[in-house]
Amino acid sequence: MNRQMRKFVALANLSLLLLSLAVFFTDSLRVLSRALYDFNQRSTMSHAPHEDIIVIDIDQESLDVIGTFPWSRDVYIPLLEQIKSAKVVAFDIMFTTQSADPSIDQAFAEELAKHDNVIIPAFAELENFFNKTTTVGAGELVKGQALYKSIPEISSAAHTAHINAVIDEDATIRRTWLMLDTPEGTIPSLGYKVADMYGADVQHFLQDNPQTELHIKFNSSTRDFLNIPFYMVASGEVPPETFTDRIVLIGMAAASDDAKATPVDNNMYLVYAHANIVDQLLKNEKIIVAGDMLVLILMLAVIALAIWFTWRSRAITGILLLFASTAVLLVGQWLMYSRTSVYLDVVYLLVGLWLAYLVNLAGKTYFEAKQKQFITRQFGRYLSPELVQQIAKNHVEVPVGGVKKELTILFLDIRGFTPLSETLKPEEIVDFLNTMFDMTTNCVLANKGTIDKFIGDAAMVLFNAPLDVPDHAYHAVKTACEIQAGMKRVQADIRQKYGVDVSVGIGINTGEVVVGNIGSYLRVDYTAIGDAVNTAARIESIAQANQILVAEETYLRTREQFSYREVGDKMVKGKSAAIRLYEVDSGEWKENGEV
């Protein structure tokens, strides 16, 4: 990783870290966090509430039989008679107004006084017109500004518990306060009071929990509880022993404003929310929400992990690791919640993971593209730009060790270079060679050739490698013609500057060779070897100044495009038999190399 890349990684990830911290501390993803929390609740419901919980519904059937709600208080007297064997009876309705006939209220109060197991709820006002906020100090109970109870004769005849609902900003109930501090003292919640009167050990729910906040574990939906219509119980249709030593909750279960959204039901009657709380307390279940500090530490760790595997792995591996990490976080938190009731908010971890991956992937892609452009420019000095782009686009790999392939090989050598070099300074020689080979390179690349190597004042050029070039023999001869045409300008410049004549002799041959990466494990060169290569080199060695000689195979493939003069059979070094050579007719050359 070079300095520029390290600088980018540092700045980009510092910005990423600041953004992640801002998102975390502003709780900007609360909606997603709650959605994940609610999913955990729904997907882990046991649907098996405590068998001693019974809900008596003030449902539509009861309204049809008894009449419009609210009912006369004397309706509840036979109900209490029927369920007097219950261990706890809890009303989720309040009686805040006097009846038209005070004797009815008195009769109801007298019936309540006969039973020491009845709870009549109260409601604490946590805000008023002048103060719309509820301030809770560290280690303090939530404070109510006023406590609203049923009329005195009724409330004094029964136990009291609050029915305040903790409603989040999305109008969903997920928590409850087991205790509230009111002007009349500390008041337990209805669920807590019921469980306590039933005999459950609920004191430990208050330990290390100064505000007595409890995350409700909704294990059951409305239909999971044993529920009985009010009118059936009041009329004696249900055997009284059904309620012996059990918990009875009485509340609205008909169309009313007594229904709220919960994680498991968008419209749950609140008596069933209380039933879930009681069930949770009886089963001694507690949801533990992982603290912000732990979530923050894990988020930073996940960001570091994403940065590491993005830069250290291939693109496909990085994507697989990204999705694997996402799956591990989602499945892992679900398993932890389902088995231990510990909820870890992985939303911020996932956002950090994906942001870190995408930011660093963008940077990696940018630098890889930049590197690719650099390599293309460098390799483009040896291959035509079209071939380089095709190799990059198609991911063509040049085989290690070489393959057999038919090529056309062009050798050229500068004639008159030795006397020229004796008259020039070293830097002038380099300048001359650069000028000479710039012109040669432009001609080669324009014709899809590959510059194999420059050897002093000579050059070796391949056609049809590494990618296939149709009519490669034609392109080789055309390149030779263009080089000879370009030499006219070079010759004039050299003659004017140094008073020396220079020229080029070119030899071309077509045949099967071995081409590829050839060398040792320490160094390899992309080159071609074989008899066809040696023959092309020998042909070049006997070519005269300004002459282009081609072997017979090249001639046969290009005689329709170029004008040739037969040179005849020539003996060359390394060959036991003479080879027939042809010279491109110099009188037919044009500036573009065509005839």
Side-chain angles (χ1 to χ4, degrees):
M1 187 179 293
N2 60 36
R3 183 177 180 182
Q4 186 179 9
M5 291 175 65
R6 285 195 297 269
K7 184 177 179 181
F8 168 83
V9 171
L11 292 177
N13 286 293
L14 177 60
S15 301
L16 167 68
L17 179 60
L18 294 175
L19 175 61
S20 300
L21 292 175
V23 170
F24 178 80
F25 285 111
T26 57
D27 204 11
S28 302
L29 304 176
R30 185 180 300 174
V31 173
L32 295 177
S33 297
R34 286 173 173 165
L36 180 63
Y37 178 86
D38 294 350
F39 169 79
N40 284 355
Q41 289 261 18
R42 290 191 301 273
S43 61
T44 59
M45 293 175 68
S46 66
H47 296 285
H50 195 284
E51 61 184 7
D52 283 347
I53 300 176
I54 299 176
V55 179
I56 295 180
D57 288 340
I58 301 176
D59 57 0
Q60 190 58 50
E61 287 184 85
S62 298
L63 295 175
D64 293 339
V65 172
I66 299 174
T68 304
F69 197 83
W71 297 324
S72 173
R73 273 85 191 252
D74 56 4
V75 171
Y76 301 99
I77 294 175
L79 178 80
L80 289 174
E81 284 291 331
Q82 289 295 109
I83 62 176
K84 62 184 178 181
S85 62
K87 202 160 194 177
V88 186
V89 175
F91 282 85
D92 187 31
I93 53 177
M94 294 177 63
F95 307 93
T96 57
T97 59
Q98 297 281 349
S99 299
D101 184 355
S103 64
I104 295 177
D105 292 337
Q106 186 61 39
F108 180 43
E110 289 175 357
E111 183 63 32
L112 286 173
K114 296 177 184 179
H115 311 281
D116 192 35
N117 61 346
V118 181
I119 302 171
I120 299 295
F123 182 81
E125 182 184 77
L126 302 181
E127 60 180 37
N128 57 35
F129 181 80
F130 300 100
N131 183 9
K132 294 296 184 181
T133 61
T134 302
T135 303
V136 181
E140 296 180 356
L141 291 175
V142 177
K143 294 181 188 255
Q145 299 174 26
L147 183 65
Y148 297 99
K149 302 168 69 175
S150 297
I151 59 176
E153 54 265 48
I154 293 177
S155 63
S156 62
H159 298 278
T160 302
H162 79 79
I163 54 173
N164 286 75
V166 183
I167 302 177
D168 291 329
E169 292 90 339
D170 59 350
T172 302
I173 297 175
R174 297 181 178 87
R175 299 164 293 142
T176 186
W177 292 309
L178 297 179
M179 294 287 175
L180 284 179
D181 186 9
T182 72
E184 296 187 24
T186 301
I187 304 294
S189 70
L190 183 69
Y192 184 90
K193 187 67 175 178
V194 168
D196 186 41
M197 291 176 61
Y198 182 78
D201 180 16
V202 291
Q203 287 292 326
H204 67 91
F205 281 94
L206 306 181
Q207 295 172 359
D208 301 321
N209 187 8
Q211 295 173 2
T212 69
E213 182 180 271
L214 178 72
H215 289 268
I216 305 172
K217 197 170 194 308
F218 289 91
N219 272 322
S220 304
S221 61
T222 301
R223 60 180 174 272
D224 294 324
F225 289 94
L226 173 59
N227 47 20
I228 305 172
F230 185 99
Y231 81 92
M232 293 181 65
V233 180
S235 63
E237 297 180 36
V238 180
E241 56 268 23
T242 303
F243 308 100
T244 301
D245 293 330
R246 303 178 82 174
I247 295 170
V248 178
L249 300 174
I250 306 164
M252 292 298 301
S256 68
D257 59 356
D258 202 47
K260 302 293 182 184
T262 67
V264 299
D265 189 344
N266 288 330
N267 196 40
M268 177 178 280
Y269 293 108
L270 292 182
V271 67
Y272 287 97
H274 293 303
N276 269 284
I277 297 171
V278 173
D279 177 64
Q280 176 182 357
L281 295 174
L282 294 183
K283 292 178 179 178
N284 196 27
E285 295 179 335
K286 185 185 296 184
I287 296 176
I288 300 173
V289 178
D292 289 347
M293 185 56 65
L294 176 61
V295 174
L296 178 59
I297 292 172
L298 291 176
M299 183 179 71
L300 297 178
V302 165
I303 289 174
L305 174 66
I307 294 171
W308 179 81
F309 71 65
T310 304
W311 287 97
R312 292 292 183 179
S313 61
R314 287 183 163 186
I316 186 64
T317 305
I319 292 174
L320 292 175
L321 287 172
L322 175 68
F323 281 99
S325 300
T326 301
V328 167
L329 288 174
L330 287 173
V331 175
Q333 68 83 29
W334 184 87
L335 289 174
M336 183 167 62
Y337 178 83
S338 63
R339 295 179 181 181
T340 66
S341 293
V342 175
Y343 172 69
L344 174 65
D345 185 358
V346 299
V347 168
Y348 292 93
L349 278 64
L350 291 171
V351 169
L353 174 73
W354 280 81
L355 277 178
Y357 175 77
L358 293 175
V359 168
N360 285 275
L361 179 65
K364 183 180 180 182
T365 302
Y366 168 76
F367 283 108
E368 285 182 348
K370 199 172 180 181
Q371 180 70 5
K372 188 176 180 180
Q373 292 174 357
F374 173 77
I375 293 173
T376 301
R377 287 196 303 269
Q378 296 301 313
F379 203 32
R381 299 179 180 182
Y382 306 93
L383 295 177
S384 70
E386 292 82 3
L387 291 180
V388 176
Q389 291 174 6
Q390 190 174 350
I391 290 172
K393 179 179 179 181
N394 299 325
H395 302 285
V396 176
E397 294 187 4
V398 180
V400 176
V403 294
K404 284 187 177 181
K405 190 173 186 180
E406 184 185 78
L407 304 184
T408 297
I409 305 98
L410 180 152
F411 277 88
L412 67 83
D413 184 73
I414 302 174
R415 305 293 190 257
F417 179 72
T418 300
L420 177 63
S421 62
E422 293 174 351
T423 63
L424 299 181
K425 297 177 182 179
E427 59 271 19
E428 292 175 330
I429 296 174
V430 173
D431 180 64
F432 164 72
L433 289 175
N434 286 340
T435 301
M436 180 70 202
F437 288 137
D438 277 348
M439 181 271 294
T440 301
T441 299
N442 290 334
C443 294
V444 170
L445 299 185
N447 288 284
K448 304 180 182 180
T450 301
I451 299 173
D452 182 281
K453 59 177 68 72
F454 291 114
I455 313 167
D457 59 345
M460 173 180 171
V461 182
L462 308 178
F463 293 86
N464 204 36
L467 295 180
D468 294 340
V469 178
D471 299 325
H472 50 87
Y474 163 77
H475 285 288
V477 177
K478 182 171 178 287
T479 299
C481 293
E482 291 177 357
I483 290 173
Q484 292 293 17
M487 278 302 298
K488 294 178 181 179
R489 294 186 292 273
V490 176
Q491 287 169 337
D493 290 341
I494 297 301
R495 188 179 299 111
Q496 181 180 358
K497 286 183 179 180
Y498 309 111
V500 177
D501 287 326
V502 292
S503 57
V504 170
I506 299 175
I508 303 174
N509 185 33
T510 302
E512 191 174 76
V513 301
V514 175
V515 61
N517 288 318
I518 299 172
S520 73
Y521 73 96
L522 291 176
R523 176 181 172 84
V524 293
D525 282 327
Y526 184 78
T527 190
I529 58 175
D531 182 64
V533 177
N534 296 332
T535 300
R538 300 306 179 208
I539 294 172
E540 176 272 314
S541 67
I542 63 175
Q544 302 299 313
N546 302 316
Q547 190 177 38
I548 303 172
L549 294 181
V550 304
E552 186 170 19
E553 184 63 30
T554 306
Y555 162 76
L556 293 174
R557 295 180 182 221
T558 60
R559 59 186 174 183
E560 299 298 328
Q561 291 89 18
F562 298 94
S563 176
Y564 286 99
R565 180 180 64 84
E566 184 175 346
V567 176
D569 296 337
K570 296 287 184 179
M571 292 296 299
V572 297
K573 185 178 180 180
K575 302 291 288 184
S576 59
I579 58 174
R580 181 159 298 177
L581 299 178
Y582 297 84
E583 179 185 4
V584 179
D585 190 347
S586 61
E588 297 296 327
W589 293 344
K590 295 183 179 180
E591 288 298 317
N592 61 2
E594 296 178 349
V595 297

